[in-house]
mmCIF file of all heavy atoms in Angstrom:
data_model
loop_
_atom_site.group_PDB
_atom_site.id
_atom_site.type_symbol
_atom_site.label_atom_id
_atom_site.label_comp_id
_atom_site.label_asym_id
_atom_site.label_seq_id
_atom_site.Cartn_x
_atom_site.Cartn_y
_atom_site.Cartn_z
ATOM 1 N N LEU L 359 -20.156 16.087 4.208
ATOM 2 C CA LEU L 359 -19.788 16.666 2.937
ATOM 3 C C LEU L 359 -19.521 15.586 1.942
ATOM 4 O O LEU L 359 -19.883 15.739 0.697
ATOM 5 C CB LEU L 359 -18.504 17.507 3.110
ATOM 6 C CG LEU L 359 -18.167 18.449 1.938
ATOM 7 C CD1 LEU L 359 -17.559 19.730 2.382
ATOM 8 C CD2 LEU L 359 -17.148 17.742 1.005
ATOM 9 N N LEU L 360 -18.866 14.555 2.322
ATOM 10 C CA LEU L 360 -18.642 13.371 1.387
ATOM 11 C C LEU L 360 -19.606 12.232 1.749
ATOM 12 O O LEU L 360 -19.763 11.913 2.947
ATOM 13 C CB LEU L 360 -17.147 12.946 1.556
ATOM 14 C CG LEU L 360 -16.652 11.849 0.697
ATOM 15 C CD1 LEU L 360 -16.656 12.244 -0.784
ATOM 16 C CD2 LEU L 360 -15.241 11.392 1.103
ATOM 17 N N ARG L 386 -19.514 10.446 -3.433
ATOM 18 C CA ARG L 386 -19.899 11.661 -4.170
ATOM 19 C C ARG L 386 -19.951 12.818 -3.142
ATOM 20 O O ARG L 386 -20.151 12.615 -1.926
ATOM 21 C CB ARG L 386 -21.306 11.468 -4.834
ATOM 22 C CG ARG L 386 -22.450 11.352 -3.839
ATOM 23 C CD ARG L 386 -23.678 11.036 -4.521
ATOM 24 N NE ARG L 386 -24.816 10.830 -3.642
ATOM 25 C CZ ARG L 386 -26.003 10.312 -3.926
ATOM 26 N NH1 ARG L 386 -26.203 9.918 -5.174
ATOM 27 N NH2 ARG L 386 -26.951 10.149 -2.977
ATOM 28 N N VAL L 387 -19.850 14.036 -3.701
ATOM 29 C CA VAL L 387 -20.169 15.290 -2.901
ATOM 30 C C VAL L 387 -21.464 15.856 -3.417
ATOM 31 O O VAL L 387 -21.496 16.229 -4.604
ATOM 32 C CB VAL L 387 -18.986 16.257 -3.090
ATOM 33 C CG1 VAL L 387 -19.267 17.534 -2.309
ATOM 34 C CG2 VAL L 387 -17.675 15.672 -2.556
ATOM 35 N N PRO L 388 -22.459 15.928 -2.643
ATOM 36 C CA PRO L 388 -23.727 16.512 -3.142
ATOM 37 C C PRO L 388 -23.540 17.897 -3.655
ATOM 38 O O PRO L 388 -22.761 18.652 -3.122
ATOM 39 C CB PRO L 388 -24.614 16.501 -1.820
ATOM 40 C CG PRO L 388 -24.089 15.374 -1.020
ATOM 41 C CD PRO L 388 -22.563 15.441 -1.234
ATOM 42 N N ARG L 391 -23.500 20.962 -1.406
ATOM 43 C CA ARG L 391 -22.396 21.132 -0.464
ATOM 44 C C ARG L 391 -21.079 21.474 -1.131
ATOM 45 O O ARG L 391 -20.035 21.700 -0.452
ATOM 46 C CB ARG L 391 -22.238 19.872 0.389
ATOM 47 C CG ARG L 391 -23.465 19.545 1.275
ATOM 48 C CD ARG L 391 -23.307 18.275 2.014
ATOM 49 N NE ARG L 391 -24.571 17.876 2.721
ATOM 50 C CZ ARG L 391 -24.953 16.611 2.885
ATOM 51 N NH1 ARG L 391 -24.319 15.670 2.440
ATOM 52 N NH2 ARG L 391 -26.103 16.454 3.467
ATOM 53 N N ARG L 392 -21.099 21.555 -2.429
ATOM 54 C CA ARG L 392 -19.802 21.793 -3.132
ATOM 55 C C ARG L 392 -19.200 23.143 -2.867
ATOM 56 O O ARG L 392 -17.964 23.315 -2.852
ATOM 57 C CB ARG L 392 -20.003 21.610 -4.585
ATOM 58 C CG ARG L 392 -20.303 20.130 -4.956
ATOM 59 C CD ARG L 392 -20.095 19.815 -6.408
ATOM 60 N NE ARG L 392 -20.255 18.352 -6.626
ATOM 61 C CZ ARG L 392 -19.735 17.716 -7.683
ATOM 62 N NH1 ARG L 392 -19.075 18.386 -8.618
ATOM 63 N NH2 ARG L 392 -19.951 16.404 -7.843
ATOM 64 N N ALA L 393 -20.040 24.174 -2.555
ATOM 65 C CA ALA L 393 -19.528 25.469 -2.344
ATOM 66 C C ALA L 393 -18.613 25.518 -1.104
ATOM 67 O O ALA L 393 -17.619 26.261 -1.010
ATOM 68 C CB ALA L 393 -20.667 26.491 -2.088
ATOM 69 N N ARG L 394 -18.970 24.626 -0.135
ATOM 70 C CA ARG L 394 -18.131 24.516 1.104
ATOM 71 C C ARG L 394 -16.771 23.946 0.828
ATOM 72 O O ARG L 394 -15.791 24.158 1.529
ATOM 73 C CB ARG L 394 -18.904 23.639 2.136
ATOM 74 C CG ARG L 394 -18.109 23.433 3.464
ATOM 75 C CD ARG L 394 -18.147 24.733 4.305
ATOM 76 N NE ARG L 394 -17.545 24.612 5.560
ATOM 77 C CZ ARG L 394 -16.193 24.607 5.719
ATOM 78 N NH1 ARG L 394 -15.408 24.911 4.699
ATOM 79 N NH2 ARG L 394 -15.691 24.487 6.900
ATOM 80 N N LEU L 395 -16.710 23.186 -0.239
ATOM 81 C CA LEU L 395 -15.455 22.464 -0.604
ATOM 82 C C LEU L 395 -14.550 23.246 -1.495
ATOM 83 O O LEU L 395 -13.326 23.033 -1.615
ATOM 84 C CB LEU L 395 -15.798 21.136 -1.261
ATOM 85 C CG LEU L 395 -14.700 20.132 -1.551
ATOM 86 C CD1 LEU L 395 -14.040 19.655 -0.234
ATOM 87 C CD2 LEU L 395 -15.247 18.929 -2.282
ATOM 88 N N ALA L 396 -15.069 24.239 -2.216
ATOM 89 C CA ALA L 396 -14.363 24.940 -3.282
ATOM 90 C C ALA L 396 -13.079 25.587 -2.683
ATOM 91 O O ALA L 396 -13.055 26.365 -1.794
ATOM 92 C CB ALA L 396 -15.189 26.025 -3.865
ATOM 93 N N GLY L 397 -11.929 25.132 -3.328
ATOM 94 C CA GLY L 397 -10.662 25.684 -2.871
ATOM 95 C C GLY L 397 -10.123 25.267 -1.580
ATOM 96 O O GLY L 397 -9.107 25.768 -1.037
ATOM 97 N N THR L 417 -10.219 10.767 -2.373
ATOM 98 C CA THR L 417 -9.434 11.898 -2.782
ATOM 99 C C THR L 417 -9.848 12.314 -4.163
ATOM 100 O O THR L 417 -10.038 13.547 -4.428
ATOM 101 C CB THR L 417 -7.897 11.467 -2.832
ATOM 102 O OG1 THR L 417 -7.517 11.259 -1.491
ATOM 103 C CG2 THR L 417 -7.108 12.589 -3.426
ATOM 104 N N ALA L 418 -10.004 11.396 -5.145
ATOM 105 C CA ALA L 418 -10.412 11.754 -6.470
ATOM 106 C C ALA L 418 -11.757 12.436 -6.504
ATOM 107 O O ALA L 418 -12.010 13.435 -7.195
ATOM 108 C CB ALA L 418 -10.465 10.462 -7.354
ATOM 109 N N THR L 419 -12.644 11.966 -5.654
ATOM 110 C CA THR L 419 -14.013 12.558 -5.579
ATOM 111 C C THR L 419 -13.956 14.040 -5.087
ATOM 112 O O THR L 419 -14.604 14.952 -5.565
ATOM 113 C CB THR L 419 -14.908 11.703 -4.674
ATOM 114 O OG1 THR L 419 -14.953 10.409 -5.213
ATOM 115 C CG2 THR L 419 -16.346 12.305 -4.604
ATOM 116 N N LEU L 420 -13.178 14.215 -3.985
ATOM 117 C CA LEU L 420 -13.067 15.544 -3.383
ATOM 118 C C LEU L 420 -12.398 16.556 -4.321
ATOM 119 O O LEU L 420 -12.811 17.662 -4.474
ATOM 120 C CB LEU L 420 -12.295 15.427 -2.076
ATOM 121 C CG LEU L 420 -13.012 14.744 -0.918
ATOM 122 C CD1 LEU L 420 -11.978 14.366 0.213
ATOM 123 C CD2 LEU L 420 -14.106 15.556 -0.342
ATOM 124 N N LEU L 421 -11.393 16.108 -5.033
ATOM 125 C CA LEU L 421 -10.677 16.993 -5.972
ATOM 126 C C LEU L 421 -11.538 17.343 -7.096
ATOM 127 O O LEU L 421 -11.597 18.490 -7.642
ATOM 128 C CB LEU L 421 -9.388 16.316 -6.488
ATOM 129 C CG LEU L 421 -8.215 16.130 -5.461
ATOM 130 C CD1 LEU L 421 -7.096 15.339 -5.968
ATOM 131 C CD2 LEU L 421 -7.700 17.495 -4.961
ATOM 132 N N ALA L 422 -12.294 16.359 -7.624
ATOM 133 C CA ALA L 422 -13.210 16.587 -8.756
ATOM 134 C C ALA L 422 -14.332 17.582 -8.338
ATOM 135 O O ALA L 422 -14.891 18.312 -9.218
ATOM 136 C CB ALA L 422 -13.794 15.279 -9.216
ATOM 137 N N ALA L 423 -14.659 17.627 -7.082
ATOM 138 C CA ALA L 423 -15.727 18.503 -6.524
ATOM 139 C C ALA L 423 -15.230 19.872 -6.182
ATOM 140 O O ALA L 423 -16.056 20.695 -5.744
ATOM 141 C CB ALA L 423 -16.441 17.821 -5.410
ATOM 142 N N GLY L 424 -13.963 20.125 -6.301
ATOM 143 C CA GLY L 424 -13.433 21.483 -6.063
ATOM 144 C C GLY L 424 -12.353 21.680 -5.015
ATOM 145 O O GLY L 424 -11.887 22.702 -4.812
ATOM 146 N N ALA L 425 -11.996 20.603 -4.297
ATOM 147 C CA ALA L 425 -10.989 20.738 -3.296
ATOM 148 C C ALA L 425 -9.646 21.112 -3.934
ATOM 149 O O ALA L 425 -9.344 20.577 -5.004
ATOM 150 C CB ALA L 425 -10.827 19.481 -2.456
ATOM 151 N N ALA L 426 -8.861 21.915 -3.265
ATOM 152 C CA ALA L 426 -7.545 22.302 -3.775
ATOM 153 C C ALA L 426 -6.497 21.252 -3.533
ATOM 154 O O ALA L 426 -5.557 21.022 -4.323
ATOM 155 C CB ALA L 426 -7.099 23.604 -3.168
#
Side-chain angles (χ1 to χ4, degrees):
L359 190 146
L360 183 64
R386 68 185 177 195
V387 176
R391 296 178 187 144
R392 293 198 173 200
R394 181 70 178 84
L395 187 62
T417 295
T419 302
L420 291 166
L421 291 173

